[in-house]
Amino acid sequence: MRMSKLLLALLAGAAFTTTATTVSAQDGALGKIKNSGTITIGHRDASIPFSYYDDKQQPIGYAMDLCLKIADAVKAELKLPKLDVKYQLVTSANRIPLMANGTIDLECGSTTNNVARQKEVGFTITHFLTANRYVSKKSSNIKSIEDLKGKTVVSTSGTTNIKQLTDLNLAKNMGINIIPANGHPEAFQMVETGRAVAFVMDDILLYTLVASSRTPGDYVISNDALSLPEPYGIMMRRDDPAFKKVVDNAMRAVYKSGEINRIYEKWFVKPVPPKDINYNVPMSQQFKNLVANPTDSGDPADYK
């Protein structure tokens, strides 16, 4: 009799555990956020002007503004009187693992949304379009991709850019010596100091790095692109349709209301902190088309 009671207790415990796990899985990010009263935003330290530190070491930027709009929408959806926003610094190398293991709820930076990454994480509606180009010193006289043959070229570790550069190098047997850098500033510094002849990266990030340098006139950004238009997206965990719906609706609302124009101008056509540099990157026609017809596609061909 005692054994039967023990067995029943064990079975009941197992059933409770299974139910609790199922409920937790169904709740997803919304359940986690509601229970904790906190949403955790992953950010970068130097992806200017998308996500970076100001002079007070506070995370700011274009993507950060969009993520705060999403946080407001989540707060309203969950009917919370208060929602604390916590920030977690991430890098190119650890942003996907930290998203997958639940450390962060949103990743707000300059992360490319592509089909390969969609197997690991989810993305909301695209918030920027860029292309993979390279920056070099004018004195290096690099006129085309072919001029990179046999040269030392740097790109940032953990990015799609370094993969595209590696693929190009192998496909055309160019003999490029590819150096992975720990971050965008380090990579640009390698070009600045002559340790690399070029830095391959998203063109918008190259524009901001050049504009912020001591001698902007010394550099040139290639007309040649190593890629089709690349969509940036705010990352979230995969297979969480309830959370994705709230996030996507928040982005659509920003686009439909026209508020995206104000946010874009704030970061790309006006002086930005902490150095009040104006990057003078007006909204492209491709991005205007995206605002009119939002999508979370990871296929570059959808943005041509």
Side-chain angles (χ1 to χ4, degrees):
M1 186 71 174
R2 279 195 295 255
M3 182 63 73
S4 297
K5 287 182 178 178
L6 179 59
L7 183 60
L8 286 171
L10 289 171
L11 289 171
F16 176 78
T17 301
T18 302
T19 302
T21 301
T22 302
V23 169
S24 176
Q26 288 174 345
D27 283 349
L30 290 177
K32 172 179 174 284
I33 293 167
K34 185 172 185 179
N35 291 334
S36 66
T38 300
I39 186 168
T40 303
I41 292 177
H43 68 91
R44 304 295 297 275
D45 60 352
S47 283
I48 303 171
F50 295 91
S51 180
Y52 66 104
Y53 282 134
D54 64 11
D55 53 357
K56 297 179 182 177
Q57 292 296 290
Q58 295 299 310
I60 60 171
Y62 172 70
M64 298 299 294
D65 279 4
L66 293 173
C67 275
L68 291 176
K69 291 291 180 182
I70 293 170
D72 287 342
V74 170
K75 177 184 174 183
E77 175 70 19
L78 296 175
K79 298 179 173 60
L80 295 174
K82 181 184 178 184
L83 178 62
D84 290 328
V85 177
K86 290 188 176 180
Y87 297 103
Q88 170 69 49
L89 178 64
V90 301
T91 66
S92 295
N94 70 16
R95 56 190 168 181
I96 290 178
L98 290 178
M99 177 59 68
N101 70 19
T103 300
I104 56 177
D105 300 305
L106 297 167
E107 189 268 340
C108 309
S110 51
T111 299
T112 299
N113 170 13
N114 59 33
V115 174
R117 283 179 174 164
Q118 287 180 0
K119 295 176 182 177
E120 300 180 80
V121 293
F123 288 90
T124 187
I125 289 165
T126 296
H127 66 266
F128 196 82
L129 292 172
T130 185
N132 193 8
R133 303 182 194 275
Y134 55 88
V135 64
S136 61
K137 282 189 171 180
K138 290 178 180 177
S139 58
S140 297
N141 202 33
I142 302 295
K143 301 296 185 183
S144 70
I145 291 174
E146 296 299 317
D147 291 335
L148 298 177
K149 282 184 177 180
K151 303 290 197 306
T152 295
V153 179
V154 64
S155 190
T156 308
S157 177
T159 63
T160 56
N161 311 78
I162 200 166
K163 182 181 184 305
Q164 289 169 351
L165 177 59
T166 301
D167 291 345
L168 175 71
N169 194 28
L170 292 172
K172 294 194 173 185
N173 194 28
M174 297 180 72
I176 297 173
N177 175 31
I178 301 172
I179 301 177
N182 290 325
H184 307 324
E186 178 182 304
F188 186 77
Q189 188 180 51
M190 287 185 182
V191 175
E192 192 175 38
T193 57
R195 285 177 289 167
V197 73
F199 170 28
V200 172
M201 184 43 56
D202 299 346
D203 54 15
I204 182 60
L205 298 179
L206 296 179
Y207 282 117
T208 62
L209 286 165
V210 168
S212 303
S213 70
R214 285 171 290 186
T215 53
D218 289 353
Y219 302 93
V220 61
I221 295 169
S222 67
N223 290 320
D224 291 344
L226 282 68
S227 71
L228 291 169
E230 292 198 6
Y232 283 176
I234 292 167
M235 273 201 301
M236 65 190 81
R237 283 183 289 286
R238 281 191 69 210
D239 303 323
D240 193 347
F243 185 56
K244 180 169 172 54
K245 181 179 179 181
V246 175
V247 174
D248 284 356
N249 284 344
M251 290 290 290
R252 287 193 184 95
V254 171
Y255 286 8
K256 187 175 181 180
S257 67
E259 191 171 10
I260 186 63
N261 296 313
R262 179 189 64 78
I263 296 173
Y264 186 98
E265 287 178 6
K266 173 184 174 183
W267 295 103
F268 293 104
V269 295
K270 292 182 179 180
V272 302
K275 297 180 180 180
D276 290 330
I277 295 172
N278 189 332
Y279 299 113
N280 292 310
V281 183
M283 189 180 289
S284 67
Q285 187 57 53
Q286 289 171 321
F287 190 71
K288 290 177 181 178
N289 294 341
L290 172 67
V291 170
N293 300 282
T295 178
D296 64 356
S297 174
D299 184 354
D302 290 339
Y303 299 93
K304 290 193 294 183

Short mmCIF file of all heavy atoms in Angstrom, two decimals, residues 136-182:
data_model
loop_
_atom_site.label_atom_id
_atom_site.label_comp_id
_atom_site.label_asym_id
_atom_site.label_seq_id
_atom_site.Cartn_x
_atom_site.Cartn_y
_atom_site.Cartn_z
N SER A 136 39.33 51.56 -47.29
CA SER A 136 40.79 51.53 -47.38
C SER A 136 41.29 52.96 -47.37
O SER A 136 40.52 53.92 -47.54
CB SER A 136 41.23 50.82 -48.66
OG SER A 136 40.75 51.49 -49.80
N LYS A 137 42.59 53.11 -47.19
CA LYS A 137 43.18 54.44 -47.30
C LYS A 137 43.32 54.81 -48.78
O LYS A 137 43.65 53.96 -49.60
CB LYS A 137 44.54 54.47 -46.62
CG LYS A 137 44.47 54.57 -45.11
CD LYS A 137 45.85 54.82 -44.52
CE LYS A 137 45.74 55.13 -43.03
NZ LYS A 137 47.08 55.38 -42.45
N LYS A 138 43.07 56.06 -49.08
CA LYS A 138 43.22 56.52 -50.46
C LYS A 138 44.63 56.25 -50.97
O LYS A 138 44.84 55.91 -52.14
CB LYS A 138 42.89 58.01 -50.57
CG LYS A 138 41.42 58.34 -50.37
CD LYS A 138 41.18 59.83 -50.45
CE LYS A 138 39.70 60.16 -50.24
NZ LYS A 138 39.45 61.62 -50.25
N SER A 139 45.60 56.36 -50.07
CA SER A 139 47.00 56.15 -50.44
C SER A 139 47.29 54.71 -50.84
O SER A 139 48.30 54.44 -51.51
CB SER A 139 47.92 56.56 -49.28
OG SER A 139 47.62 55.80 -48.11
N SER A 140 46.42 53.77 -50.44
CA SER A 140 46.62 52.37 -50.81
C SER A 140 46.25 52.10 -52.26
O SER A 140 46.59 51.06 -52.82
CB SER A 140 45.79 51.46 -49.90
OG SER A 140 46.21 51.57 -48.56
N ASN A 141 45.48 53.02 -52.84
CA ASN A 141 45.10 52.93 -54.26
C ASN A 141 44.35 51.64 -54.60
O ASN A 141 44.60 51.00 -55.62
CB ASN A 141 46.34 53.06 -55.15
CG ASN A 141 46.01 53.52 -56.56
OD1 ASN A 141 45.06 54.29 -56.76
ND2 ASN A 141 46.77 53.07 -57.53
N ILE A 142 43.43 51.26 -53.71
CA ILE A 142 42.59 50.09 -53.95
C ILE A 142 41.36 50.55 -54.74
O ILE A 142 40.51 51.28 -54.22
CB ILE A 142 42.15 49.42 -52.63
CG1 ILE A 142 43.37 49.02 -51.80
CG2 ILE A 142 41.25 48.22 -52.90
CD1 ILE A 142 44.23 47.95 -52.44
N LYS A 143 41.29 50.15 -56.00
CA LYS A 143 40.22 50.63 -56.88
C LYS A 143 39.09 49.61 -57.07
O LYS A 143 37.99 49.98 -57.47
CB LYS A 143 40.79 50.98 -58.25
CG LYS A 143 41.88 52.04 -58.22
CD LYS A 143 41.37 53.38 -57.73
CE LYS A 143 42.44 54.46 -57.82
NZ LYS A 143 41.97 55.76 -57.29
N SER A 144 39.37 48.34 -56.82
CA SER A 144 38.36 47.31 -57.03
C SER A 144 38.65 46.12 -56.13
O SER A 144 39.72 46.05 -55.49
CB SER A 144 38.36 46.84 -58.49
OG SER A 144 39.55 46.11 -58.76
N ILE A 145 37.71 45.19 -56.08
CA ILE A 145 37.89 43.98 -55.28
C ILE A 145 39.13 43.22 -55.73
O ILE A 145 39.87 42.65 -54.91
CB ILE A 145 36.63 43.09 -55.37
CG1 ILE A 145 35.46 43.77 -54.64
CG2 ILE A 145 36.89 41.71 -54.76
CD1 ILE A 145 34.14 43.05 -54.80
N GLU A 146 39.39 43.24 -57.04
CA GLU A 146 40.55 42.52 -57.58
C GLU A 146 41.86 43.04 -57.00
O GLU A 146 42.85 42.30 -56.90
CB GLU A 146 40.58 42.64 -59.11
CG GLU A 146 39.39 41.98 -59.80
CD GLU A 146 39.31 40.48 -59.54
OE1 GLU A 146 40.36 39.82 -59.57
OE2 GLU A 146 38.19 39.99 -59.29
N ASP A 147 41.87 44.31 -56.60
CA ASP A 147 43.09 44.91 -56.04
C ASP A 147 43.42 44.37 -54.65
O ASP A 147 44.49 44.66 -54.10
CB ASP A 147 42.96 46.43 -55.97
CG ASP A 147 42.95 47.07 -57.35
OD1 ASP A 147 43.49 46.45 -58.28
OD2 ASP A 147 42.39 48.17 -57.49
N LEU A 148 42.49 43.61 -54.06
CA LEU A 148 42.73 43.03 -52.74
C LEU A 148 43.53 41.73 -52.81
O LEU A 148 43.92 41.17 -51.78
CB LEU A 148 41.40 42.77 -52.02
CG LEU A 148 40.53 43.99 -51.73
CD1 LEU A 148 39.21 43.57 -51.10
CD2 LEU A 148 41.26 44.99 -50.84
N LYS A 149 43.78 41.23 -54.00
CA LYS A 149 44.52 39.97 -54.17
C LYS A 149 45.87 40.03 -53.46
O LYS A 149 46.65 40.98 -53.63
CB LYS A 149 44.76 39.69 -55.66
CG LYS A 149 43.55 39.15 -56.39
CD LYS A 149 43.89 38.82 -57.84
CE LYS A 149 42.70 38.19 -58.56
NZ LYS A 149 43.02 37.86 -59.98
N GLY A 150 46.12 38.99 -52.65
CA GLY A 150 47.40 38.88 -51.97
C GLY A 150 47.61 39.85 -50.83
O GLY A 150 48.67 39.87 -50.21
N LYS A 151 46.59 40.65 -50.51
CA LYS A 151 46.72 41.67 -49.46
C LYS A 151 46.17 41.13 -48.12
O LYS A 151 45.47 40.13 -48.06
CB LYS A 151 45.94 42.93 -49.85
CG LYS A 151 46.35 43.56 -51.18
CD LYS A 151 47.72 44.18 -51.11
CE LYS A 151 47.96 45.15 -52.27
NZ LYS A 151 47.74 44.60 -53.61
N THR A 152 46.49 41.86 -47.06
CA THR A 152 45.94 41.56 -45.73
C THR A 152 44.68 42.39 -45.54
O THR A 152 44.72 43.62 -45.64
CB THR A 152 46.96 41.89 -44.63
OG1 THR A 152 48.09 41.02 -44.77
CG2 THR A 152 46.34 41.66 -43.25
N VAL A 153 43.59 41.71 -45.27
CA VAL A 153 42.28 42.35 -45.12
C VAL A 153 41.67 41.92 -43.80
O VAL A 153 41.78 40.75 -43.42
CB VAL A 153 41.34 41.99 -46.29
CG1 VAL A 153 39.97 42.63 -46.12
CG2 VAL A 153 41.96 42.42 -47.62
N VAL A 154 41.03 42.84 -43.11
CA VAL A 154 40.44 42.54 -41.80
C VAL A 154 38.92 42.62 -41.88
O VAL A 154 38.34 43.34 -42.71
CB VAL A 154 40.96 43.54 -40.73
CG1 VAL A 154 40.52 44.96 -41.04
CG2 VAL A 154 40.50 43.13 -39.33
N SER A 155 38.25 41.82 -41.06
CA SER A 155 36.81 41.93 -40.86
C SER A 155 36.52 41.51 -39.43
O SER A 155 37.37 40.93 -38.75
CB SER A 155 36.04 41.06 -41.85
OG SER A 155 34.65 41.35 -41.79
N THR A 156 35.31 41.80 -38.96
CA THR A 156 34.97 41.54 -37.57
C THR A 156 34.54 40.10 -37.35
O THR A 156 33.71 39.58 -38.09
CB THR A 156 33.86 42.50 -37.10
OG1 THR A 156 34.25 43.84 -37.40
CG2 THR A 156 33.61 42.37 -35.61
N SER A 157 35.11 39.48 -36.34
CA SER A 157 34.81 38.09 -36.02
C SER A 157 33.33 37.88 -35.73
O SER A 157 32.69 38.74 -35.12
CB SER A 157 35.64 37.66 -34.80
OG SER A 157 35.34 36.35 -34.41
N GLY A 158 32.78 36.75 -36.18
CA GLY A 158 31.40 36.40 -35.88
C GLY A 158 30.36 37.09 -36.73
O GLY A 158 29.17 37.03 -36.43
N THR A 159 30.78 37.73 -37.83
CA THR A 159 29.84 38.45 -38.70
C THR A 159 29.65 37.72 -40.03
O THR A 159 30.47 36.88 -40.42
CB THR A 159 30.34 39.88 -38.99
OG1 THR A 159 31.59 39.79 -39.71
CG2 THR A 159 30.56 40.66 -37.69
N THR A 160 28.58 38.06 -40.73
CA THR A 160 28.37 37.51 -42.07
C THR A 160 29.43 38.05 -43.04
O THR A 160 29.76 37.41 -44.03
CB THR A 160 26.97 37.88 -42.61
OG1 THR A 160 26.81 39.31 -42.59
CG2 THR A 160 25.88 37.25 -41.76
N ASN A 161 29.97 39.22 -42.73
CA ASN A 161 30.94 39.86 -43.62
C ASN A 161 32.21 39.03 -43.77
O ASN A 161 32.73 38.88 -44.87
CB ASN A 161 31.31 41.25 -43.08
CG ASN A 161 30.10 42.06 -42.73
OD1 ASN A 161 29.51 41.85 -41.68
ND2 ASN A 161 29.71 43.00 -43.58
N ILE A 162 32.69 38.50 -42.65
CA ILE A 162 33.93 37.73 -42.71
C ILE A 162 33.70 36.42 -43.46
O ILE A 162 34.59 35.92 -44.16
CB ILE A 162 34.51 37.48 -41.30
CG1 ILE A 162 36.00 37.13 -41.39
CG2 ILE A 162 33.73 36.42 -40.54
CD1 ILE A 162 36.72 37.21 -40.06
N LYS A 163 32.49 35.87 -43.38
CA LYS A 163 32.17 34.66 -44.14
C LYS A 163 32.13 34.95 -45.64
O LYS A 163 32.65 34.19 -46.46
CB LYS A 163 30.83 34.08 -43.69
CG LYS A 163 30.47 32.77 -44.40
CD LYS A 163 29.13 32.24 -43.95
CE LYS A 163 28.84 30.89 -44.60
NZ LYS A 163 28.92 30.91 -46.07
N GLN A 164 31.50 36.08 -46.00
CA GLN A 164 31.43 36.45 -47.42
C GLN A 164 32.82 36.71 -47.99
O GLN A 164 33.13 36.32 -49.11
CB GLN A 164 30.55 37.69 -47.59
CG GLN A 164 29.07 37.42 -47.36
CD GLN A 164 28.25 38.69 -47.27
OE1 GLN A 164 28.80 39.79 -47.20
NE2 GLN A 164 26.94 38.55 -47.24
N LEU A 165 33.67 37.34 -47.18
CA LEU A 165 35.04 37.59 -47.61
C LEU A 165 35.80 36.28 -47.78
O LEU A 165 36.53 36.09 -48.77
CB LEU A 165 35.75 38.48 -46.59
CG LEU A 165 37.22 38.79 -46.84
CD1 LEU A 165 37.41 39.48 -48.19
CD2 LEU A 165 37.79 39.64 -45.71
N THR A 166 35.61 35.36 -46.85
CA THR A 166 36.27 34.05 -46.93
C THR A 166 35.80 33.28 -48.16
O THR A 166 36.61 32.68 -48.88
CB THR A 166 35.99 33.24 -45.65
OG1 THR A 166 36.47 33.96 -44.51
CG2 THR A 166 36.68 31.88 -45.71
N ASP A 167 34.49 33.30 -48.41
CA ASP A 167 33.94 32.61 -49.58
C ASP A 167 34.49 33.19 -50.88
O ASP A 167 34.83 32.46 -51.82
CB ASP A 167 32.41 32.69 -49.58
CG ASP A 167 31.78 31.87 -48.45
OD1 ASP A 167 32.50 31.04 -47.86
OD2 ASP A 167 30.59 32.08 -48.16
N LEU A 168 34.55 34.52 -50.95
CA LEU A 168 35.08 35.20 -52.13
C LEU A 168 36.55 34.83 -52.34
O LEU A 168 36.99 34.56 -53.47
CB LEU A 168 34.94 36.71 -51.97
CG LEU A 168 35.56 37.58 -53.08
CD1 LEU A 168 34.75 37.46 -54.36
CD2 LEU A 168 35.64 39.04 -52.64
N ASN A 169 37.30 34.83 -51.26
CA ASN A 169 38.72 34.52 -51.31
C ASN A 169 38.97 33.12 -51.89
O ASN A 169 39.84 32.92 -52.74
CB ASN A 169 39.31 34.61 -49.90
CG ASN A 169 40.82 34.64 -49.89
OD1 ASN A 169 41.47 35.08 -50.84
ND2 ASN A 169 41.40 34.15 -48.81
N LEU A 170 38.14 32.16 -51.44
CA LEU A 170 38.29 30.78 -51.92
C LEU A 170 37.80 30.64 -53.36
O LEU A 170 38.44 29.99 -54.19
CB LEU A 170 37.52 29.84 -51.00
CG LEU A 170 38.09 29.68 -49.58
CD1 LEU A 170 37.13 28.87 -48.71
CD2 LEU A 170 39.46 29.04 -49.61
N ALA A 171 36.65 31.25 -53.64
CA ALA A 171 36.05 31.10 -54.97
C ALA A 171 36.94 31.67 -56.07
O ALA A 171 37.03 31.12 -57.17
CB ALA A 171 34.68 31.77 -55.00
N LYS A 172 37.60 32.80 -55.79
CA LYS A 172 38.43 33.46 -56.81
C LYS A 172 39.92 33.22 -56.61
O LYS A 172 40.73 33.79 -57.34
CB LYS A 172 38.13 34.96 -56.81
CG LYS A 172 36.71 35.30 -57.27
CD LYS A 172 36.59 36.79 -57.57
CE LYS A 172 35.25 37.13 -58.19
NZ LYS A 172 35.16 38.55 -58.60
N ASN A 173 40.24 32.38 -55.60
CA ASN A 173 41.65 32.06 -55.33
C ASN A 173 42.50 33.33 -55.26
O ASN A 173 43.52 33.48 -55.94
CB ASN A 173 42.19 31.12 -56.41
CG ASN A 173 43.52 30.49 -56.03
OD1 ASN A 173 43.80 30.32 -54.84
ND2 ASN A 173 44.32 30.15 -57.01
N MET A 174 42.06 34.27 -54.40
CA MET A 174 42.68 35.59 -54.37
C MET A 174 43.90 35.67 -53.45
O MET A 174 44.64 36.65 -53.50
CB MET A 174 41.64 36.64 -53.95
CG MET A 174 40.49 36.77 -54.94
SD MET A 174 39.27 38.00 -54.45
CE MET A 174 40.19 39.52 -54.74
N GLY A 175 44.07 34.68 -52.61
CA GLY A 175 45.24 34.70 -51.72
C GLY A 175 45.21 35.81 -50.69
O GLY A 175 46.26 36.28 -50.23
N ILE A 176 44.02 36.24 -50.28
CA ILE A 176 43.90 37.29 -49.28
C ILE A 176 44.21 36.72 -47.89
O ILE A 176 43.76 35.63 -47.53
CB ILE A 176 42.46 37.88 -49.27
CG1 ILE A 176 42.16 38.53 -50.62
CG2 ILE A 176 42.28 38.89 -48.14
CD1 ILE A 176 40.71 38.98 -50.76
N ASN A 177 45.00 37.45 -47.12
CA ASN A 177 45.26 37.09 -45.73
C ASN A 177 44.19 37.75 -44.87
O ASN A 177 44.20 38.96 -44.67
CB ASN A 177 46.65 37.59 -45.31
CG ASN A 177 46.93 37.34 -43.84
OD1 ASN A 177 46.44 36.36 -43.26
ND2 ASN A 177 47.70 38.21 -43.22
N ILE A 178 43.23 36.96 -44.39
CA ILE A 178 42.08 37.49 -43.66
C ILE A 178 42.35 37.46 -42.15
O ILE A 178 42.64 36.40 -41.59
CB ILE A 178 40.81 36.69 -43.98
CG1 ILE A 178 40.51 36.75 -45.49
CG2 ILE A 178 39.62 37.23 -43.19
CD1 ILE A 178 39.39 35.83 -45.93
N ILE A 179 42.23 38.62 -41.52
CA ILE A 179 42.43 38.73 -40.07
C ILE A 179 41.09 39.00 -39.40
O ILE A 179 40.39 39.95 -39.76
CB ILE A 179 43.39 39.88 -39.72
CG1 ILE A 179 44.75 39.66 -40.40
CG2 ILE A 179 43.56 40.00 -38.22
CD1 ILE A 179 45.73 40.80 -40.16
N PRO A 180 40.69 38.20 -38.41
CA PRO A 180 39.47 38.48 -37.65
C PRO A 180 39.76 39.44 -36.49
O PRO A 180 40.72 39.25 -35.75
CB PRO A 180 39.06 37.10 -37.12
CG PRO A 180 40.35 36.35 -37.00
CD PRO A 180 41.27 36.89 -38.05
N ALA A 181 38.96 40.49 -36.39
CA ALA A 181 39.11 41.45 -35.29
C ALA A 181 38.01 41.24 -34.27
O ALA A 181 36.93 40.73 -34.58
CB ALA A 181 39.06 42.87 -35.84
N ASN A 182 38.25 41.68 -33.03
CA ASN A 182 37.28 41.48 -31.95
C ASN A 182 36.11 42.46 -32.01
O ASN A 182 35.08 42.25 -31.38
CB ASN A 182 37.96 41.59 -30.59
CG ASN A 182 38.88 40.41 -30.33
OD1 ASN A 182 38.58 39.28 -30.74
ND2 ASN A 182 39.99 40.65 -29.67
#
